[in-house]
Amino acid sequence: MIEYKEETFDQVINEIKPLLENHYEEIALDRDVIKLNPDYDTYKKCCDSGLMKIITARDDGKLVGYLIAIIKYHLHYKDSLTAIDDIFYISKEYRKGLTGVKLFIKTEEILKKYGVQRVILNTKLHHDVGAIFDRLGYKETERVFTKIIG
């Protein structure tokens, strides 16, 4: 049975690292220019200070997915506590069924307890999970463009 819950950086970081590698290999663009090199010290500081939350999916204790969200008052709307996903991932063998959907639903439940008013989720165009967001009541609001310049 899969359990979804909030965990601390210290509880989960060693288990997240191999999944991050899988995630990077699967979806990262420009890998020849930009290498995976997470700033774990800053992640820890953000988590310890409450600026970041980690929600996990575990199957009988084994980490199979995560969502990491940055929580702060929006610079344009200083009265609106907003959560923006930093990264989310579900191991390939758990993508059938509702594992990902349930992770997003649990994330919303947890974030509401912290007073979050709005959640912003991102999806890669080349690995689009927008249909899941539509199903959960999110609306598409922006397009993002990137360019390697150096």
Side-chain angles (χ1 to χ4, degrees), residues 4 12 14 21-23 25 36 42-43 46 52 59 61 67 81 83 87 93 97 111 126 131 133 136 149:
Y4 305 87
V12 76
N14 290 328
E21 290 285 338
N22 293 343
H23 189 182
E25 290 300 322
L36 180 64
T42 299
Y43 271 96
C46 288
M52 191 172 276
D59 186 7
L67 186 146
L81 190 59
I87 192 169
E93 60 270 25
L111 294 175
H126 64 281
F133 300 157
L136 291 171
I149 61 168

Side-chain angles (χ1 to χ4, degrees), residues 15-26:
E15 294 172 273
I16 278 183
K17 288 178 180 181
L19 294 181
L20 280 172
E21 290 285 338
N22 293 343
H23 189 182
Y24 172 78
E25 290 300 322
E26 183 178 346

Side-chain angles (χ1 to χ4, degrees), residues 34-78:
I34 302 173
K35 303 298 180 198
L36 180 64
N37 186 17
D39 184 348
Y40 292 118
D41 291 335
T42 299
Y43 271 96
K44 180 168 175 42
K45 287 176 190 170
C46 288
C47 288
D48 290 350
S49 72
L51 285 173
M52 191 172 276
K53 301 296 179 190
I54 302 172
I55 302 13
T56 60
R58 290 183 177 275
D59 186 7
D60 290 325
K62 176 187 172 190
L63 185 67
V64 299
Y66 54 81
L67 186 146
I68 301 174
I70 301 163
I71 300 174
K72 61 185 305 272
Y73 286 93
H74 198 283
L75 290 174
H76 301 172
Y77 316 104
K78 69 180 185 176

